[in-house]
């Protein structure tokens, strides 16, 4: 299930500016194991779900594109390959406690197709060589993992969430695509973004009203390594930058809603505070 909230979003959502998506993955089957294989026009997907124990279910899936094969048949100069996966487990520790784990990730690769077609006109050859000389080799991977502990009671529940997400992006280019000589290296770029997050929330449900409050903390790391001799080639200068930034973010919120006039009027309000040491 996916919800797109474009305004008036809850105060417990950190860094909400204009809109955000809220995803909910279904739980795995509790009765038996089931497997599904899907063959599409551009990808292959396999998913599996079922019970791990009387208290735990799982669901996992993986997907891989075969666009690179199609692009090779069309003699295109670039070959993209996309892979992604996701997994979710749900454990009913007892009647009042539930533990959920989730993992989502992707690996994307973008390589050059240097095979020469058997039949190629001079114009096609010029176009192909031009693209091969300007397109970089790229790769990217990312993941998000997290665990959520939910503790129920008669009038509400506590929620504790611990998660981590990371993105790694790389790109490089050699003159003439000759990787044997380092002097041909035009640029080599790498960047990383990683965030570690914790959130604690208390939800209280009363007669005609709801009250929520909580806190959150985030530790972030950003890294960049950029070697570039192509951009300033006319002046003979080289860009060589390596930088890293670590900072903390924190926040707290409280919100509530109340029904009036026989539930025909709902008033909702909230406030939150956020801070960070990034600008110190």
């Amino acid at each position: 299930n996916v919800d797109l909230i474009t305004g008036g979003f809850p105060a417990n959502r950190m860094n909400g500016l204009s809109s955000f998506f809220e995803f909910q993955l279904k739980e795995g089957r509790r009765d038996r194991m089931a497997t599904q294989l899907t063959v599409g026009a551009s990808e292959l997907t396999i998913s599996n779900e079922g019970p791990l124990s009387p208290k735990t279910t799982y669901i996992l899936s993986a997907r891989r594109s075969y666009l690179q094969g199609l692009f090779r048949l069309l003699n295109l100069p670039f070959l993209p390959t996309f892979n992604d996966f996701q997994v979710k487990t749900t454990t009913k520790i007892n009647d009042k406690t539930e533990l959920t784990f989730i993992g989502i990730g992707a690996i994307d690769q973008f390589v050059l197709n240097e095979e020469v077609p058997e039949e190629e006109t001079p114009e096609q050859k010029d176009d192909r060589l031009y693209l091969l000389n300007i397109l970089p080799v790229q790769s990217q991977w990312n993941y998000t993992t997290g665990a959520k502990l939910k503790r129920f009671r008669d009038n509400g529940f506590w929620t504790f969430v611990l998660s981590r997400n990371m993105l790694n992006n790389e790109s490089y280019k050699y003159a003439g695509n000759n990787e044997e000589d380092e002097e041909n290296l035009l640029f080599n770029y790498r960047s990383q973004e990683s965030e570690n997050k914790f959130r604690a929330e208390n939800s209280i449900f009363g007669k005609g009203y709801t009250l929520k409050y909580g806190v959150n903390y985030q530790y972030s790391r950003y890294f960049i390594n950029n070697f570039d001799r192509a951009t300033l080639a006319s002046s003979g200068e080289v860009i060589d930058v390596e930088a890293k930034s670590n900072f903390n973010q924190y926040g707290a919120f409280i919100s509530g809603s109340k029904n009036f006039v026989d539930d025909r009027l709902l008033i909702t309000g909230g406030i939150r505070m956020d801070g960070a040491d990034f600008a110190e």
Side-chain angles (χ1 to χ4, degrees):
N1 184 55
V2 182
D3 291 325
L4 170 61
I5 302 176
T6 58
F9 36 80
N12 65 340
R13 293 302 181 231
M14 182 181 182
N15 290 335
L17 295 178
S18 60
S19 63
F20 67 88
F21 288 94
E22 189 171 81
F23 294 83
Q24 292 182 344
L25 296 182
K26 71 173 187 176
E27 296 184 8
R29 298 182 59 154
R30 294 191 172 273
D31 54 347
R32 61 183 175 85
M33 183 183 296
T35 302
Q36 179 175 322
L37 179 67
T38 304
V39 180
S42 61
E43 62 192 27
L44 175 68
T45 304
I46 184 170
S47 62
N48 181 260
E49 60 179 310
L52 282 176
S53 71
K55 294 184 177 182
T56 302
T57 65
Y58 75 93
I59 181 170
L60 59 89
S61 66
R63 178 173 57 177
R64 179 178 176 86
S65 73
Y66 35 80
L67 283 175
Q68 67 277 14
L70 176 61
F71 280 33
R72 192 183 297 275
L73 290 175
L74 296 175
N75 295 323
L76 295 178
F78 52 93
L79 305 175
T81 304
F82 306 108
N83 309 273
D84 57 62
F85 62 88
Q86 55 185 327
V87 60
K88 178 182 179 179
T89 65
T90 304
T91 302
K92 307 286 186 181
I93 299 176
N94 52 49
D95 292 338
K96 294 186 176 182
T97 309
E98 179 183 273
L99 178 64
T100 302
F101 171 81
I102 188 173
I104 303 173
I107 303 173
D108 303 327
Q109 296 174 319
F110 186 100
V111 299
L112 301 179
N113 179 16
E114 299 187 63
E115 294 183 5
V116 179
E118 294 182 359
E119 297 181 0
E120 187 176 51
T121 66
E123 291 80 8
Q124 291 174 329
K125 180 180 180 181
D126 291 341
D127 291 341
R128 179 175 57 82
L129 291 178
Y130 172 75
L131 290 174
L132 285 175
N133 285 330
I134 64 172
L135 291 174
V137 177
Q138 301 180 61
S139 64
Q140 178 177 285
W141 55 261
N142 62 83
Y143 67 84
T144 297
T145 60
K148 178 178 71 173
L149 181 67
K150 215 167 187 179
R151 177 67 177 175
F152 297 92
R153 58 180 187 279
D154 292 339
N155 67 335
F157 54 86
W158 274 97
T159 303
F160 303 94
V161 181
L162 185 64
S163 66
R164 172 179 171 82
N165 59 271
M166 185 172 182
L167 166 67
N168 184 88
N169 188 27
E170 298 182 39
S171 178
Y172 68 86
K173 184 65 178 179
Y174 284 82
N177 299 314
N178 181 9
E179 301 183 14
E180 297 181 357
D181 189 353
E182 286 298 319
E183 294 298 323
N184 292 327
L185 181 63
L186 298 178
F187 67 85
N188 189 4
Y189 172 85
R190 183 186 183 193
S191 66
Q192 292 182 338
E193 304 174 15
S194 60
E195 299 171 340
N196 305 278
K197 303 178 181 181
F198 172 76
R199 186 173 83 248
E201 297 181 7
N202 188 17
S203 301
I204 302 172
F205 304 99
K207 188 175 182 180
Y209 74 90
T210 299
L211 178 67
K212 294 183 179 183
Y213 63 87
V215 295
N216 58 267
Y217 169 76
Q218 176 176 316
Y219 175 74
S220 303
R221 173 184 178 270
Y222 293 91
F223 170 81
I224 182 173
N225 189 333
N226 185 26
F227 175 84
D228 185 350
R229 63 159 51 100
T231 302
L232 303 178
S234 60
S235 63
E237 298 183 20
V238 174
I239 299 174
D240 194 358
V241 177
E242 181 172 323
K244 181 172 62 176
S245 176
N246 299 279
F247 61 96
N248 302 277
Q249 293 175 267
Y250 45 85
F253 79 94
I254 183 170
S255 64
S257 61
K258 182 74 169 69
N259 286 297
F260 297 93
V261 195
D262 296 329
D263 294 341
R264 290 185 293 174
L265 174 65
L266 174 65
I267 297 179
T268 302
I271 187 171
R272 72 169 293 119
M273 178 275 296
D274 288 294
D277 60 10
F278 175 78
E280 290 184 353

